[in-house]
Amino acid sequence: MLTRRWALAALAAGAMAMGSGLARAAETVLFIGNSFTYGANSPVWKYRGDSVTDLNGGGVGGVPALFKLFAKEAGLDYAVSLETAPGRGLDYHLKEKMPLVDKAWDHVVMHGLSTLDGAKPGDPALLVDTVGQMAKALHARNPKVDILITATWSRADQTYPDKGHWHGQPIEAMGRDVRKAYDAAAAASPYVRGVAPVGDAWNRAFAVGFADPNPYDGISAGKVNLWAWDSYHASAYGYYLEALVVFGRLTGKDPASLGARETAAQELGISPPQASALQQIAHDEIAAYHGK
């Protein structure tokens, strides 16, 4: 009799849990990338590292942790993981890290090298090929996986110094070239939903006068520097904008709904007016992407 009562109690508890949504597992999100994902040379690197799972065990928070917080503030629950390696493209992850990433994820956000190809800067062929391979492998694990690829930003150090591959061109040029490559990669794979246009959002920040386009001649009053001290990686402002664009593209939520007093902005030293401006830039760029 006692056993029967325990069984009935367990069934009732299970039904209550299912009814309340407690038994529903959070959707999983995996970020695959390099220093542009983990937030190198900024306070974003180890930001809220305990809120996400670093598959390499390095305690990284980065852009995935910003995304996780934005989602929580929007009332969404995701189990967020990341697999990153500095200075590496997707070819490295395919060769060396598949045991960590070859699982059934609900969402995947990924990108390759900032120059597209380390040996041949600006050449999209390697990116298109490796995005296709990775997307195919992830789709094999979960045919419903939602895959986004992140088109990264123009590097000032590749534009203004003589040695840069985009030297002599407008600062927006590298970002536009990178975006074209990611568009090609998305078009070539039936498993990629689309692009997170982060580089375009940076270009928009320059165009509207929020960010200074040339850190080599000083930062103009009233503007911010989206790059870190190396004019290569992002500052907290740049990574914040990256995370906003990814958040909006993956969830469908409006980045501007997060508000001027958004928690991560306050913790990273981004003022309320700056947070609002960055959120609006992300909103506008996502709207433009959908319009295209």
Side-chain angles (χ1 to χ4, degrees):
M1 188 69 174
L2 187 59
T3 301
R4 183 170 180 272
R5 287 176 182 172
W6 275 109
L8 290 173
L11 286 171
M16 289 178 63
M18 290 181 68
S20 65
L22 294 177
R24 188 183 308 153
E27 291 187 26
T28 57
V29 181
L30 172 67
F31 285 78
I32 305 173
N34 50 44
S35 54
F36 280 24
T37 291
Y38 69 65
N41 296 347
S42 84
V44 173
W45 190 347
K46 301 289 183 174
Y47 180 74
R48 290 180 175 248
D50 59 351
S51 69
V52 297
T53 300
D54 180 354
L55 298 180
N56 290 313
V60 170
V63 170
L66 290 175
F67 168 85
K68 170 78 173 182
L69 181 56
F70 295 164
K72 182 179 179 181
E73 290 171 323
L76 304 172
D77 184 24
Y78 292 102
V80 179
S81 300
L82 61 127
E83 194 286 293
T84 59
R88 301 288 189 172
L90 289 173
D91 53 323
Y92 171 81
H93 300 282
L94 283 162
K95 183 178 179 181
E96 303 290 344
K97 296 293 185 176
M98 287 309 288
L100 292 177
V101 305
D102 191 18
K103 297 172 184 173
W105 306 96
D106 295 311
H107 306 270
V108 176
V109 182
M110 60 187 185
H111 67 85
L113 280 176
S114 60
T115 58
L116 303 178
D117 187 324
K120 294 182 284 186
D123 188 331
L126 179 63
L127 178 80
V128 173
D129 178 57
T130 53
V131 164
Q133 290 185 55
M134 184 66 80
K136 184 177 180 180
L138 294 166
H139 179 267
R141 282 291 190 176
N142 176 15
K144 295 183 179 180
V145 65
D146 170 45
I147 300 174
L148 285 174
I149 50 179
T150 301
T152 54
W153 52 85
S154 293
R155 286 170 46 181
D157 72 317
Q158 284 286 322
T159 301
Y160 296 108
D162 292 343
K163 64 181 177 61
H165 181 75
W166 282 267
H167 175 67
Q169 300 185 56
I171 187 60
E172 298 84 3
M174 181 178 178
R176 288 196 295 261
D177 288 348
V178 169
R179 169 63 189 279
K180 289 177 184 176
Y182 278 82
D183 283 346
S189 173
Y191 311 123
V192 173
R193 168 160 67 96
V195 175
V198 174
D200 288 340
W202 278 48
N203 285 350
R204 183 178 293 272
F206 302 141
V208 300
F210 176 79
D212 194 303
N214 186 357
Y216 287 93
D217 63 4
I219 305 303
S220 299
K223 296 185 179 183
V224 306
N225 187 359
L226 293 178
W227 292 282
W229 53 264
D230 58 2
S231 299
Y232 169 176
H233 295 90
S235 64
Y237 297 107
Y239 289 122
Y240 189 80
L241 182 54
E242 177 184 1
L244 288 169
V245 173
V246 171
F247 165 75
R249 286 287 288 127
L250 192 151
T251 68
K253 297 288 187 179
D254 183 359
S257 68
L258 294 170
R261 299 284 178 179
E262 191 279 318
T263 301
Q266 294 186 68
E267 293 179 347
L268 293 170
I270 298 171
S271 73
Q274 290 169 337
S276 290
L278 286 162
Q279 291 167 16
Q280 188 62 47
I281 289 166
H283 165 94
D284 292 345
E285 195 53 51
I286 291 169
Y289 179 90
H290 290 310
K292 294 175 184 176

